[in-house]
Amino acid sequence: QVQLVESGGGVVQPGRSLRLSCAASGFIFSDYIMHWVRQAPGKGLEWVAVISYDESKKHYVDSVKGRFTISRDNSNNTLYLQMNSLRPEDTAVYYCAQSSGRRNGAFEIWGQGTMVTVSS
Amino acid sequence: DIQMTQSPSSLSASVGDRVTFTCRASQSISSYLNWYQQKPGKAPKLLIYAASNLQSGVPSRFSGSESGTDFTLTISSLQPEDFATYYCHQSYGTPFTFGQGTKLEIK
């Protein structure tokens, strides 16, 4: 079945780095635009980053520009989020999500999320 | 950035009630408005895309509409499994943004 599975979360000290992965299955990964969305504890959803089918286009929310990098490996059906210079305010559950032009860019499929805690 | 404002922030209702959630965009987003349902500890689930289109597998008691920059999500007859938090989301342009959510609670 169509599935996204995130991994790589954990507890990290401020200023350190972490790389999240999102393994896709059940669909043609290279056909879809992919996103990262996060949710701080008890808070709402915040879009983080998007990457086009072929990695030619990437966009980020201002709060992570210059610190986070989104990438993908279409041959291995995997999405990544490299997070550098982490801050306590980056603490959140991070979700990967798939969007499609057929749904006006709506996020149709979501992973289960991976928790990132930035704390000393 | 496009701001999405949801109202109310919380709502108490009973099984069988008709409820409506509202979302207002700070500028025109055409029909690039989507609605999600999120239950505690779970990922969001797409309910409505392009303002008024029901996602496959979502019960027909959910519906969406638009009027300019105002969008509504309606549940025609609340079921016990509908008590959750609902988010609107604009996919018109980056940075994509979500409303702050409306928490639907049992009265």
Side-chain angles (χ1 to χ4, degrees):
Chain A
Q1 75 279 22
V2 175
Q3 195 173 8
L4 296 170
V5 179
E6 300 95 337
S7 60
V11 180
V12 61
Q13 293 179 327
R16 303 298 291 264
S17 299
L18 207 59
R19 188 176 84 155
L20 305 183
S21 300
C22 169
S25 59
F27 64 97
I28 303 173
F29 181 66
S30 56
D31 282 356
Y32 290 86
I33 293 169
M34 297 298 296
H35 305 258
W36 287 99
V37 177
R38 66 185 179 183
Q39 186 170 35
K43 303 297 184 182
L45 301 168
E46 180 183 38
W47 173 81
V48 174
V50 61
I51 187 167
S52 62
Y53 315 93
D54 60 357
E55 289 196 281
S56 61
K57 297 178 183 177
K58 302 176 185 181
H59 297 278
Y60 302 89
V61 68
D62 281 351
S63 59
V64 308
K65 281 180 183 175
R67 300 188 300 122
F68 289 12
T69 302
I70 189 171
S71 62
R72 66 192 297 164
D73 181 347
N74 286 342
S75 62
N76 286 309
N77 298 330
T78 304
L79 175 72
Y80 301 102
L81 186 67
Q82 177 67 43
M83 304 185 295
N84 298 332
S85 303
L86 282 161
R87 304 168 180 170
E89 55 265 35
D90 296 319
T91 294
V93 174
Y94 284 73
Y95 297 100
C96 59
Q98 169 223 70
S99 68
S100 164
R102 296 190 309 261
R103 297 287 187 268
N104 262 32
F107 298 171
E108 196 168 359
I109 304 297
W110 296 66
Q112 85 288 353
T114 187
M115 183 70 203
V116 172
T117 303
V118 183
S119 173
S120 54
Chain B
D1 298 0
I2 301 172
Q3 307 303 317
M4 306 301 295
T5 303
Q6 284 186 248
S7 61
S9 56
S10 65
L11 178 61
S12 294
S14 302
V15 173
D17 284 354
R18 178 184 179 92
V19 296
T20 298
F21 309 97
T22 298
C23 178
R24 173 169 290 174
S26 61
Q27 66 182 71
S28 173
I29 57 171
S30 188
S31 296
Y32 287 82
L33 188 284
N34 315 295
W35 290 97
Y36 303 86
Q37 176 194 68
Q38 187 180 34
K39 296 181 178 179
K42 300 295 186 181
K45 173 188 173 182
L46 178 64
L47 299 176
I48 299 286
Y49 65 93
S52 60
N53 293 272
L54 194 67
Q55 173 69 349
S56 176
V58 174
S60 59
R61 62 180 180 274
F62 291 90
S63 64
S65 65
E66 64 176 302
S67 177
T69 58
D70 291 338
F71 300 85
T72 58
L73 172 68
T74 298
I75 309 175
S76 60
S77 178
L78 274 174
Q79 298 302 301
E81 60 267 28
D82 298 338
F83 292 94
T85 300
Y86 292 83
Y87 294 94
C88 63
H89 157 239
Q90 66 83 12
S91 51
Y92 181 77
T94 58
F96 301 117
T97 45
F98 291 86
Q100 78 277 18
T102 295
K103 186 173 184 179
L104 179 60
E105 298 174 308
I106 301 173
K107 184 182 286 184

